[in-house]
Amino acid sequence: MKKIVLSLAVAFATATGLAQEVKYTEYDLENGLHVILHQDNTAPVVITSVMYDVGGKDGDRARTGFAHFFEHLLFEGTENIERGEFMKIIPANGGTFNANTSQDRTYYYEIFPSNKLELGLWLESERMLHPVIDQIGVDTQNEVVKEEKRQSNDNRPYGQILSAVGENLFKVHPYKDENIGKMEHLDAATLEEFKSYFDKYYVPNNAVLVVAGDIKIEETKKLVATYFSEVKRGPDVTRNFPKEEPITETIKAIKYDKNIQIPAIIGAYRLPGQSTRDAYILDMISSYLSGGKSSVLYKKMVDEQKQALGVQAVNLGQVDYNIFALFALPQGEVSLDTLLAEIDEEIIKMQTELITERDYQKLLNQFENQFVNSNSSVAGIASSLATYHLLYGDTDLINSQLELYRSITRKEIRDVAKKYLSPNQRVEIQYLPNKEDQ
């Protein structure tokens, strides 16, 4: 019944254009840990989460993949938690957990019954305060990461698309390297290198702690102080990544994938980072082009002209540079060049004409729906609070971001499409079956 009521509430909020304000309290501990608390007593659930400002782009380029490696390694155990017990304690207490790593950040979280709040805080403080980083753990997780890479990248159809885009779109910025890293880099790394990486990035002043759900603010503040105040502040992390030169002539590349039979075409653009206004406008452009079966490209190329098995435009948000990528799979004997030409035809229309008022309102409705849905669960709210603070520098985007989208005009959509989405500003990748299969 609660799920039905929640679904109706989300549907009503979307239909009326209303989104309930997310209230939160935020402050810093003396050691620099940023804390965000959100109280929601509608269900006896609490989430404890920590987002670290470290991702695939960070660290020595001869040692790629360390952030993703630590996503796994920091579940190994601590001075007070035996090896392998971390992941047993959580389900034994009615909880669930997960972690994920992007190029820009690493996120750990646990969801517990609210009477286990203190346990969740203890676990995350243990991870930060004194994890056990030893050769046994490194060797164990090295094999885990290798298997993940085999399953997710090496042996999965189209699993190397993102790496193909990264290595061709970026020449000097660390976004050029796979988030999961190179296995030879992990194999060559010493235990001291792993320890040094932890000491540099997994410090309280490089992290945000979010506690959300069935809590009492003042009691939670005391618990946070109890478990996190003794963690020592680390050196401030400074970044000075090299800047990419603008793309002014089309870059053509070929990538082979032994796991596919149907080729694909990719057109990728390197664009301003996710916190810029233009990045928000490009979100709307990507949705206009391929946001669902009623979108421009899907209707034209899949439904009507039957040229493509699938077509997509994606604006991948990142801190330093976004990736705007076009992707299509041909149907029958349709050439890859034809697919790209058909996509470009629709982009040219966007560059020269205003989208219709009806399409504009449809876009606004889509983003309102996404916004409301993202804040319809405690887990979603916790992730959004951490992300907006750490990666955007503005926690209150959880309440104001929808207004930002609403403020975008049809003229801005046209102008931004014209500014960034020309063929001479992109990488074109033919993603083909393995040479041996030709």
Side-chain angles (χ1 to χ4, degrees):
M1 178 61 72
K2 285 185 177 180
K3 288 184 178 179
I4 295 174
V5 172
L6 177 60
S7 297
L8 289 172
V10 170
F12 175 77
T14 302
T16 57
L18 299 174
Q20 187 174 357
E21 179 184 7
V22 175
K23 295 182 179 180
Y24 58 89
T25 299
E26 61 179 343
Y27 60 98
D28 291 321
L29 297 183
E30 289 186 6
N31 58 16
L33 178 65
H34 193 73
V35 182
I36 305 176
L37 309 179
H38 166 67
Q39 183 173 336
D40 179 353
N41 304 117
T42 57
V45 175
V46 65
I47 179 168
T48 52
S49 65
V50 176
M51 186 175 286
Y52 291 92
D53 191 1
V54 58
K57 69 182 180 185
D58 292 298
D60 187 345
R61 291 301 90 189
R63 293 291 184 267
T64 58
F66 268 36
H68 174 263
F69 193 85
F70 268 92
E71 175 197 320
H72 294 267
L73 188 63
L74 293 187
F75 281 103
E76 272 285 303
T78 74
E79 293 176 11
N80 296 306
I81 302 173
E82 293 293 328
R83 189 182 310 278
E85 291 298 309
F86 202 109
M87 293 185 285
K88 295 179 182 178
I89 292 172
I90 298 169
N93 285 273
T96 59
F97 65 95
N98 214 331
N100 51 72
T101 307
S102 74
Q103 289 280 20
D104 294 312
R105 93 292 179 274
T106 305
Y107 186 52
Y108 302 88
Y109 68 90
E110 303 81 31
I111 303 174
F112 279 114
S114 53
N115 62 354
K116 300 295 183 180
L117 167 61
E118 192 167 357
L119 174 62
L121 292 172
W122 176 69
L123 289 170
E124 284 302 335
S125 68
E126 279 289 301
R127 196 198 306 274
M128 187 182 294
L129 189 57
H130 35 54
V132 172
I133 301 173
D134 60 15
Q135 197 61 52
I136 295 174
V138 167
D139 291 343
T140 300
Q141 295 308 320
N142 200 346
E143 292 306 313
V144 171
V145 171
K146 284 179 180 177
E147 181 59 25
E148 180 182 342
K149 188 174 188 297
R150 283 191 287 267
Q151 291 184 6
S152 300
N153 295 46
D154 299 342
N155 299 326
R156 182 168 63 89
Y158 307 101
Q160 299 174 55
I161 283 179
L162 195 55
S163 64
V165 170
E167 68 189 23
N168 286 288
L169 198 56
F170 298 98
K171 300 303 179 185
V172 294
H173 191 281
Y175 284 159
K176 64 185 173 62
D177 298 317
E178 285 185 274
N179 184 37
I180 201 169
K182 295 183 182 299
M183 296 305 99
E184 58 266 31
H185 291 179
L186 297 177
D187 288 341
T190 66
L191 184 59
E192 287 307 310
E193 286 177 308
F194 284 112
K195 289 181 177 180
S196 295
Y197 193 86
F198 177 85
D199 291 341
K200 180 175 182 177
Y201 293 107
Y202 296 84
V203 290
N205 45 301
N206 198 48
V208 54
L209 166 71
V210 178
V211 185
D214 186 22
I215 63 173
K216 295 179 181 178
I217 297 296
E218 294 307 316
E219 289 182 10
T220 305
K221 283 184 176 181
K222 292 177 183 178
L223 289 172
V224 168
T226 298
Y227 286 102
F228 289 91
S229 290
E230 65 177 295
V231 186
K232 292 183 179 180
R233 183 185 183 97
D236 290 336
V237 177
T238 58
R239 295 178 174 88
N240 186 26
F241 297 129
K243 306 294 183 184
E244 294 283 348
E245 292 295 325
I247 297 172
T248 56
E249 294 184 10
T250 306
I251 299 171
K252 294 185 180 289
I254 296 175
K255 177 73 172 181
Y256 293 99
D257 186 339
K258 66 181 181 180
N259 304 301
I260 66 171
Q261 294 181 328
I262 299 173
I265 187 67
I266 304 161
Y269 305 80
R270 186 193 329 120
L271 300 177
Q274 62 190 10
S275 63
T276 62
R277 184 173 180 84
D278 283 354
Y280 284 97
I281 298 169
L282 287 155
D283 280 342
M284 299 190 80
I285 290 173
S286 68
S287 290
Y288 173 79
L289 289 172
S290 71
K293 292 186 177 180
S294 63
S295 62
V296 171
L297 292 180
Y298 191 94
K299 281 198 305 183
K300 172 187 174 182
M301 298 174 65
V302 178
D303 281 349
E304 296 172 3
Q305 298 178 181
K306 303 194 183 307
Q307 297 168 308
L309 295 172
V311 61
Q312 196 168 12
V314 178
N315 188 34
L316 176 61
Q318 298 182 139
V319 170
D320 295 333
Y321 297 99
N322 274 23
I323 296 173
F324 190 97
L326 307 167
F327 172 83
L329 294 169
Q331 182 158 230
E333 298 301 316
V334 176
S335 72
L336 298 182
D337 288 341
T338 297
L339 292 180
L340 205 50
E342 293 289 348
I343 294 173
D344 283 341
E345 184 177 75
E346 297 308 314
I347 292 176
I348 290 170
K349 289 180 183 177
M350 294 189 75
Q351 294 171 334
T352 54
E353 306 169 9
L354 297 180
I355 65 172
T356 67
E357 183 62 33
R358 180 179 179 180
D359 284 335
Y360 175 70
Q361 290 301 324
K362 177 184 169 184
L363 279 176
L364 291 181
N365 290 340
Q366 287 177 347
F367 279 88
E368 287 180 7
N369 185 48
Q370 293 171 17
F371 187 82
V372 172
N373 283 334
S374 67
N375 293 339
S376 64
S377 70
V378 172
I381 288 172
S383 177
S384 293
L385 287 168
T387 299
Y388 290 137
H389 167 75
L390 194 72
L391 303 186
Y392 289 79
D394 182 2
T395 311
D396 204 53
L397 280 172
I398 197 167
N399 294 312
S400 62
Q401 191 180 58
L402 181 55
E403 286 306 315
L404 199 160
Y405 281 114
R406 285 172 173 161
S407 72
I408 293 170
T409 66
R410 291 188 294 157
K411 182 178 182 298
E412 284 183 293
I413 291 173
R414 181 195 65 191
D415 292 347
V416 166
K418 188 174 183 179
K419 182 177 181 180
Y420 296 111
L421 302 182
S422 296
N424 67 308
Q425 296 169 290
R426 72 186 177 205
V427 172
E428 296 177 3
I429 304 170
Q430 292 189 20
Y431 195 86
L432 306 175
N434 198 0
K435 288 181 181 180
E436 298 175 359
D437 301 329
Q438 301 301 298

